Amino acid sequence: MAKTQINVRMDDETAEMARQAAATRRIPVNEYVEQLIRNDNEHLRERFMEGARLVLEEYGDLIDELTGENAS
């Protein structure tokens, strides 16, 4: 997979926390940041899908009716 370089600015304290967290995991800082972003996005995807499931459970029949899916 191709990699793209992105420069990120943060205060010294946050940068040190990132370095320490990456060192604890024995991975480079860039890999640590990449994992954080992926985990955050996966979490958001899961929340979206759960919300969509709830909407369909609650309003699925109405949506079908409005779109003509169950037209008799």
Side-chain angles (χ1 to χ4, degrees):
M1 173 190 302
K3 297 282 185 170
T4 300
Q5 182 173 335
I6 298 175
N7 295 317
V8 178
R9 294 187 182 273
M10 60 185 75
D11 61 63
D12 291 339
E13 182 181 350
T14 304
E16 184 56 31
M17 289 188 323
R19 285 186 203 97
Q20 289 178 8
T24 298
R25 291 162 178 77
R26 297 180 182 187
I27 59 175
V29 172
N30 61 312
E31 188 175 328
Y32 175 66
V33 172
E34 185 176 2
Q35 286 179 4
L36 290 175
I37 293 167
R38 288 183 179 280
N39 290 343
D40 183 59
N41 280 288
E42 182 61 29
H43 177 71
L44 290 175
R45 181 183 179 284
E46 288 172 5
R47 287 180 54 199
F48 172 81
M49 295 302 287
E50 177 62 14
R53 185 187 64 75
L54 292 172
V55 167
L56 289 174
E57 281 181 5
E58 187 70 27
Y59 300 105
D61 292 340
L62 176 61
I63 293 169
D64 288 344
E65 186 179 317
L66 292 172
T67 60
E69 295 290 324
N70 285 339
S72 300

